[in-house]
C-alpha cells in the first residue's frame, strides 16, 4: 500500500470512529468512508489519492472567487494580528464589521442600508424569524406571527431554518416545523406542473400564496420567505409568470417579503442579488456563502430602512451571536467584495461566462437520459428521465446517485437532488473549464445510461 493510501485509510477510519458528519447516510459512510479532500486551487480540488476534481458546486454553492485567493488569506491574517476577536454586543463595535455593513448595503437593493450579522445562513433565518415578529409587535400588531414558506425550499438546519425550509425529511426528525410556520407549493414545473404550461403553472403556484394568506388571515401573517431560485431543492427556476404574480399579491397585503439570498446573493445570477435579477423589492434579505466566498463562516440579514426605523425606536432587540460580525470574517468579507467589484466578476458572469455555460449545458438536452436542462447565471440543472416526452423517471434505481458517483470517479463534482443533477461552479470559472465540466458531464450521463440499461 502506498503512503497515500495508508494515510487515506487512516483518515477514513477516523471518520467512522470519531466524526458525526452533516447530512450523511451514516451506515453507508461507515462502510465506505468519506472521500478525503486535501487541497484546492481555482475551480479544482484534489483528494488524498491525488485525483483532480472539477468542483462544479463551488464547495456548497459558496466559493464564488474560487480556491487559492491569497488576498483573502492575507486579509484574515492581518485582522487576526490586529484584533482576532471582539464582539458587537453592549455598545461596542469594531472597524471590519462596520465597514462591511456599509460595503454590503452599497451593493444591496435601494432602501436597504442596515445589516445584522450572523455566523451562517441558518442563523440568518433564525434572525429573520425573530426580527419580523419583533417588528410587528412594535407596530402594535402582535398577532402577525406566521411565516409562509414553500415546500422544498431550503432555509437552513437550525430549528427555525429547518422549520422555514420545506424539506419533509428534515421535518420528520425533530418534530418540525415549529408552530407559526406554514408552507405552500413550490414553482417546480418540471416535477409538478402536470398538464399545465409553465406559465399557467407559475400563476397557479403564485396564487397559492394568496390562498394561504386568506386561510391564515392577513392579521396573522408576518412574512413570506422564499429563495429567488431554489438551490438545494434542485435549482428550481420559477416559470416567468411566477415572480410578477407574487409581487402583485404581496402588494395587496400588509406582509413582509424575505428573499433568502444565501445562494443567489453576490453574483450567482449575474446580478448582485437574485432580487435584482427578478426586480423583487424585499423587506429583508438573508445572506451568507458568497459573502466570504466560503473562506470563513459568515451570514447576515439586510434590512429595509422602513423596518429599521421601527426597530431603532423599539429599544432592545434581545438577539445575537458570539460570532455576529466576527472581525476576521468581516475582514475576509470586505476583501471578497472588493475583489468582486474591482475585478468586475459579476459583470463577466453576466456578459461572458454565464451565457457560455448556459449554451454549453443546453447541448446536453439531446442526451437520451435528459428530460430538461435549465439554468440561469452560474446555476444549472439537468433532469434525468426514462422518457423524455412524458417526463417519466426511472424508479428505484437511483439514477441521480449513480450519475453523481460516476461524476466523482471521473473528476467532476455535480450534485444529485433525487434525479436532478445540479451545478453551481465558482463564478470565476473560465470557458476552458466550462468545456471540461460539460464534457465530463456528458461522459457521466453516458455511463449512467449504460448502467441503468445494463
Ligand atoms: N438558505 C439557503 C437558501 C441555503 O441554501 C441556508 C439558508 C443555510 O445556510 P447555512 O450557512 O446555515 O448552511 C442555505 C444553505 C445542499 C446544501 O445540499 C445547501 C445548503 C447548505 C448545506 C447543503 O445543497 N444551503
Amino acid at each position: 500500500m502506498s503512503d497515500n493510501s495508508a494515510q487515506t485509510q487512516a483518515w477514513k477510519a477516523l471518520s467512522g470512529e470519531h466524526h458525526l458528519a452533516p447530512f450523511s447516510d451514516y451506515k453507508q459512510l461507515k462502510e465506505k468512508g468519506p472521500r478525503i479532500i486535501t487541497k484546492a486551487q481555482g475551480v479544482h480540488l484534489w483528494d488524498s489519492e491525488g485525483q483532480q476534481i472539477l468542483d462544479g458546486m463551488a464547495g456548497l454553492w459558496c466559493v464564488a472567487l474560487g480556491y487559492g485567493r491569497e488576498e483573502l488569506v492575507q486579509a484574515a491574517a492581518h485582522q487576526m494580528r490586529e484584533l482576532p476577536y471582539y464582539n458587537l454586543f453592549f455598545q461596542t463595535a469594531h472597524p471590519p464589521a462596520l465597514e462591511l455593513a456599509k460595503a454590503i448595503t452599497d451593493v444591496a437593493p435601494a432602501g436597504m442600508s442596515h445589516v445584522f450579522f450572523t455566523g451562517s445562513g441558518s442563523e440568518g433565518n433564525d434572525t429573520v424569524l425573530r426580527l419580523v415578529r419583533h417588528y410587528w409587535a412594535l407596530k402594535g400588531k402582535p398577532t402577525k406571527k406566521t411565516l409562509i414558506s414553500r415546500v422544498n425550499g431550503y432555509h437552513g438546519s437550525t430549528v427555525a431554518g429547518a422549520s422555514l425550509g420545506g424539506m419533509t425529511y428534515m421535518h420528520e426528525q425533530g418534530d418540525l416545523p415549529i408552530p407559526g410556520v406554514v408552507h405552500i407549493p413550490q414553482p417546480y414545473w418540471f416535477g409538478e406542473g402536470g398538464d399545465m404550461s409553465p406559465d399557467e403553472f407559475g400563476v397557479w403556484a403564485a396564487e397559492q400564496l394568496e390562498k394561504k394568506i386568506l386561510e391564515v388571515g392577513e392579521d396573522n401573517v408576518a412574512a413570506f420567505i422564499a429563495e429567488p431560485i431554489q438551490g438545494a431543492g434542485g435549482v428550481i427556476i420559477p416559470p416567468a409568470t411566477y415572480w410578477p404574480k407574487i409581487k402583485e399579491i404581496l402588494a395587496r397585503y400588509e406582509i413582509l417579503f424575505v428573499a433568502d439570498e444565501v445562494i443567489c446573493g453576490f453574483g450567482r445570477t449575474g446580478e448582485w442579488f437574485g432580487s435584482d435579477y427578478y426586480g423583487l423589492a424585499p423587506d429583508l434579505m438573508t445572506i451568507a456563502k458568497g459573502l466570504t466566498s466560503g473562506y470563513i463562516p459568515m451570514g447576515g440579514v439586510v434590512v429595509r430602512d422602513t423596518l429599521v426605523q421601527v426597530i431603532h425606536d423599539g429599544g432592545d432587540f434581545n438577539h445575537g451571536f458570539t460570532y455576529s460580525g466576527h472581525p476576521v470574517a468581516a475582514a475576509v468579507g470586505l476583501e471578497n467584495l472588493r475583489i468582486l467589484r474591482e475585478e468586475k466578476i459579476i459583470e463577466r458572469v453576466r456578459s461572458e461566462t454565464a451565457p457560455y455555460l448556459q449554451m454549453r449545458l443546453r447541448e446536453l438536452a439531446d442526451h437520451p437520459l435528459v428530460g430538461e436542462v435549465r439554468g440561469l447565471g452560474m446555476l444549472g440543472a439537468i433532469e434525468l428521465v426514462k422518457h423524455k416526452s412524458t417526463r417519466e423517471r426511472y424508479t428505484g434505481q437511483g439514477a441521480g446517485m449513480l450519475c453523481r458517483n460516476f461524476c466523482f470517479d471521473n473528476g467532476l463534482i455535480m450534485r444529485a437532488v433525487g434525479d436532478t443533477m445540479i451545478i453551481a461552479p465558482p463564478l470565476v470559472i473560465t470557458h476552458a473549464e466550462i468545456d471540461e465540466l460539460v464534457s465530463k458531464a456528458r461522459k457521466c450521463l453516458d455511463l449512467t445510461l449504460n448502467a441503468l440499461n445494463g
Side-chain angles (χ1 to χ4, degrees):
M1 210 190 279
S2 70
D3 280 359
N4 255 356
S5 297
Q7 179 63 74
T8 299
Q9 291 315 317
W11 281 324
K12 287 189 180 196
L14 289 181
S15 161
E17 287 161 17
H18 299 292
H19 183 225
L20 292 171
F23 274 103
S24 299
D25 177 336
Y26 284 174
K27 216 165 139 237
Q28 214 178 53
L29 190 62
K30 195 152 170 103
E31 278 160 21
K32 285 177 50 189
R35 189 176 299 251
I36 311 289
I37 305 297
T38 50
K39 62 175 190 172
Q41 182 63 38
V43 300
H44 290 101
L45 306 164
W46 280 265
D47 69 14
S48 56
E49 302 281 296
Q51 194 198 355
Q52 184 177 334
I53 307 163
L54 195 159
D55 185 2
M57 283 305 296
L60 272 180
W61 322 80
C62 51
V63 189
L65 293 183
Y67 300 94
R69 286 299 302 235
E70 184 57 24
E71 302 94 319
L72 300 184
V73 179
Q74 289 304 328
H78 174 78
Q79 186 58 44
M80 279 204 180
R81 290 193 190 97
E82 194 75 18
L83 178 73
Y85 178 77
Y86 204 69
N87 61 74
L88 308 172
F89 284 49
F90 317 133
Q91 320 280 337
T92 65
H94 48 66
L98 299 174
E99 288 170 17
L100 180 60
K102 162 88 168 79
I104 291 168
T105 59
D106 282 347
V107 296
M112 304 186 85
S113 53
H114 286 73
V115 183
F116 188 102
F117 286 113
T118 67
S120 67
S122 300
E123 287 177 9
N125 283 326
D126 275 56
T127 302
V128 159
L129 185 135
R130 301 204 53 208
L131 203 53
V132 298
R133 289 179 174 175
H134 179 53
Y135 166 80
W136 286 118
L138 288 171
K139 291 271 283 183
K141 299 189 175 180
T143 59
K144 286 175 80 66
K145 279 189 187 146
T146 298
L147 285 101
I148 301 175
S149 145
R150 300 181 303 180
V151 172
N152 200 37
Y154 189 81
H155 298 294
S157 202
T158 51
V159 169
S163 293
L164 291 170
M167 307 291 187
T168 44
Y169 56 88
M170 291 175 78
H171 294 166
E172 281 161 9
Q173 297 177 334
D175 205 10
L176 301 177
I178 54 170
V181 178
V182 296
H183 298 84
I184 60 172
Q186 58 177 334
Y188 180 27
W189 176 79
F190 189 86
E192 298 172 5
D195 294 333
M196 281 188 250
S197 71
D199 281 355
E200 285 165 355
F201 181 69
V203 171
W204 176 85
E207 283 170 351
Q208 303 312 302
L209 174 62
E210 183 156 41
K211 213 172 132 197
K212 189 57 88 177
I213 294 169
L214 296 173
E215 185 188 312
V216 177
E218 186 182 0
D219 290 347
N220 300 318
V221 178
F224 171 55
I225 181 168
E227 303 153 80
I229 294 168
Q230 285 155 263
V235 180
I236 291 162
I237 301 171
T241 49
Y242 182 76
W243 283 117
K245 188 74 191 172
I246 290 276
K247 282 200 287 187
E248 225 181 277
I249 294 165
L250 287 171
R252 282 205 282 277
Y253 299 93
E254 195 189 23
I255 69 171
L256 300 172
F257 172 54
V258 187
D260 185 334
E261 295 273 3
V262 168
I263 282 178
C264 291
F266 304 102
R268 192 142 291 280
T269 64
E271 302 289 339
W272 275 96
F273 294 94
S275 294
D276 299 322
Y277 183 87
Y278 286 113
L280 312 173
D283 296 298
L284 304 102
M285 294 196 306
T286 319
I287 55 173
K289 295 194 190 274
L291 169 60
T292 56
S293 279
Y295 278 52
I296 195 161
M298 181 172 238
V301 184
V302 189
V303 186
R304 182 162 291 284
D305 298 347
T306 43
L307 272 71
V308 171
Q309 279 164 19
V310 174
I311 293 159
H312 269 172
D313 291 341
D316 274 338
F317 179 42
N318 302 315
H319 176 79
F321 305 100
T322 303
Y323 302 124
S324 283
H326 192 288
V328 180
V332 173
L334 265 171
E335 186 63 7
N336 183 61
L337 291 189
R338 184 193 68 74
I339 294 172
L340 281 175
R341 269 197 325 265
E342 287 183 12
E343 295 186 5
K344 299 196 184 316
I345 286 169
I346 297 173
E347 287 87 334
R348 194 166 74 230
V349 164
R350 182 168 58 230
S351 62
E352 290 176 38
T353 43
Y356 187 68
L357 174 72
Q358 296 304 333
M359 181 190 81
R360 295 284 345 253
L361 266 187
R362 277 171 182 69
E363 291 170 14
L364 299 172
D366 69 2
H367 194 280
L369 188 56
V370 174
E372 178 181 85
V373 178
R374 59 176 178 269
L376 196 163
M378 282 292 162
L379 289 165
I382 301 167
E383 297 280 5
L384 308 185
V385 291
K386 195 166 180 184
H387 294 298
K388 277 175 182 282
S389 58
T390 58
R391 316 201 294 262
E392 184 192 335
R393 303 282 192 184
Y394 281 91
T395 46
Q397 287 139 302
M401 197 48 78
L402 258 177
C403 184
R404 190 206 80 124
N405 291 341
F406 280 126
C407 288
F408 231 136
D409 292 342
N410 285 277
L412 172 65
I413 290 187
M414 177 156 74
R415 277 265 322 280
V417 178
D419 287 348
T420 312
M421 306 309 298
I422 56 175
I423 56 149
L427 303 186
V428 296
I429 192 170
T430 63
H431 285 220
E433 289 159 345
I434 289 169
D435 291 341
E436 180 189 337
L437 188 158
V438 174
S439 72
K440 283 182 171 169
R442 183 176 285 279
K443 177 179 174 191
C444 295
L445 289 170
D446 288 343
L447 291 166
T448 308
L449 185 64
N450 282 342
L452 287 166
N453 292 343

